[in-house]
Amino acid sequence: MSGVTDAPEVAAPSPPPPAWQRIAARSAAVLLAGVSVLIGFRAADADGVTPVPQLLAFLPWLFAPAGLGLLLAAAARRRTGLVWALVALAAIGWFVRPYGADATEAHGRVVAHLRVLTANVEFGGAAEGLVDTVRREKPDLVFVQECDYTCSGALESRIPRKDYPYREVVEAGGAEGSAILSVHPLRAAAGVPGVLAMPGAVAEIGGRSVHLQLAHPLPPIPGGVAMWRSELGALRSYAAGVKGRPALLAGDFNASQDHAAFRALLDAGGLHDSARLAGRSRTPSWPADSALMPGTQIDHVLVSGDFRARSARFLDLANTDHRTLLVEVDLYDMGRNGRP
């Protein structure tokens, strides 16, 4: 018998994955890469440039592409893709938590119970619905954005002065007009400068001077992100300037809690989102006129620590792409006598 030994067997090469698995793996990578970019900006506390700020407004909806990426990675049997998708989903879950404290530090005696309404009437289109809502709900403070000449005329002719004797109205066409109506005495105060009118005032409520500011910065449209950031920065400066005093900022901020510029505004003024305090922080307010586009909350009533929120309701008006927000808050004396 000869001394011939058997040659070692060479494993046959694995067959390439089917085409559909390769497509699934690549599709998962594309989806997860896009999601990861947005998560990265959110984690870095930055808004970036177009299209990042526009997409950050819809951060909770990233669960959809991240979840699809997970399914595609599983179908393609890509362990790396599975881990990537799970990490992305966990990060989204972390960031969609409501931003800010669960409650303010308001204490002492309640000096006033307030109903505050803010409405973007979209070039005055919802003026009639706004008038009906104000008559029905009887808010103490009303903040109106995109109040064109038709809107300001409706407020003047259909909202009696005996009901709202105190007003700060900037009459203008299109989206530039704005209005503040109050049952409490107002004194003039410089508003925040902006392309769209953002009037301010000081209200005398329950023996306290409450700083009021209507918010309506330009939206972060492509080519307009710098101006959006600048006007939110002006609102942040205003908030920092009244920090420590009773303050209420309301309107269409064109920003959600997932925008760094909006979070900076809250932090600078020690402000709280009343919808968040009332458990409604992720209720979409825009766009209200589209069943195809996901929604986000960009309409807010922000309050200083002198307030506690009791409730928040989002109301639907015809002929506007925004939902109207009505909140109920209590104003406290915070242990001080007289005006701050």
Side-chain angles (χ1 to χ4, degrees), residues 228-254:
W228 167 77
R229 187 177 287 114
S230 173
E231 294 193 350
L232 278 172
L235 286 166
R236 182 185 67 239
S237 297
Y238 171 86
V242 298
K243 186 175 183 179
R245 290 174 279 176
L248 193 153
L249 287 71
D252 169 13
F253 285 78
N254 277 309

Side-chain angles (χ1 to χ4, degrees), residues 55-119:
L55 294 175
L56 276 175
F58 304 99
L59 187 139
W61 296 94
L62 293 182
F63 277 121
L68 180 57
L70 177 67
L71 294 176
L72 290 170
R77 299 180 181 180
R78 294 294 195 271
R79 183 176 300 175
T80 300
L82 284 170
V83 173
W84 187 2
L86 289 171
V87 171
L89 287 166
I92 297 168
W94 176 263
F95 287 126
V96 298
R97 298 175 307 149
Y99 184 79
D102 291 332
T104 68
E105 297 182 356
H107 62 270
R109 179 175 58 94
V110 175
V111 296
H113 171 67
L114 299 174
R115 292 164 62 84
V116 183
L117 184 143
T118 179

Side-chain angles (χ1 to χ4, degrees), residues 56-190:
L56 276 175
F58 304 99
L59 187 139
W61 296 94
L62 293 182
F63 277 121
L68 180 57
L70 177 67
L71 294 176
L72 290 170
R77 299 180 181 180
R78 294 294 195 271
R79 183 176 300 175
T80 300
L82 284 170
V83 173
W84 187 2
L86 289 171
V87 171
L89 287 166
I92 297 168
W94 176 263
F95 287 126
V96 298
R97 298 175 307 149
Y99 184 79
D102 291 332
T104 68
E105 297 182 356
H107 62 270
R109 179 175 58 94
V110 175
V111 296
H113 171 67
L114 299 174
R115 292 164 62 84
V116 183
L117 184 143
T118 179
N120 181 319
V121 294
E122 194 179 9
F123 309 115
E128 293 298 312
L130 171 67
V131 169
D132 293 339
T133 300
V134 169
R135 287 177 165 180
R136 181 181 68 251
E137 300 291 347
K138 297 178 171 54
D140 301 280
L141 298 170
V142 180
F143 295 80
V144 190
Q145 306 90 55
E146 300 196 18
C147 188
D148 70 346
Y149 293 113
T150 300
C151 168
S152 57
L155 295 179
E156 180 62 31
S157 63
R158 298 190 56 201
I159 302 293
R161 285 276 175 173
K162 65 181 179 61
D163 295 336
Y164 292 90
Y166 308 102
R167 308 183 182 205
E168 288 290 335
V169 180
V170 179
E171 297 191 57
E176 296 181 15
S178 294
I180 301 174
L181 277 60
S182 174
V183 302
H184 299 279
L186 298 179
R187 67 174 187 266

Side-chain angles (χ1 to χ4, degrees), residues 177-229:
S178 294
I180 301 174
L181 277 60
S182 174
V183 302
H184 299 279
L186 298 179
R187 67 174 187 266
V192 172
V195 174
L196 309 177
M198 293 192 280
V202 178
E204 298 301 325
I205 304 174
R208 304 204 67 188
S209 297
V210 180
H211 295 264
L212 307 180
Q213 176 60 52
L214 184 145
H216 195 198
L218 288 172
I221 59 175
V225 171
M227 183 62 73
W228 167 77
R229 187 177 287 114

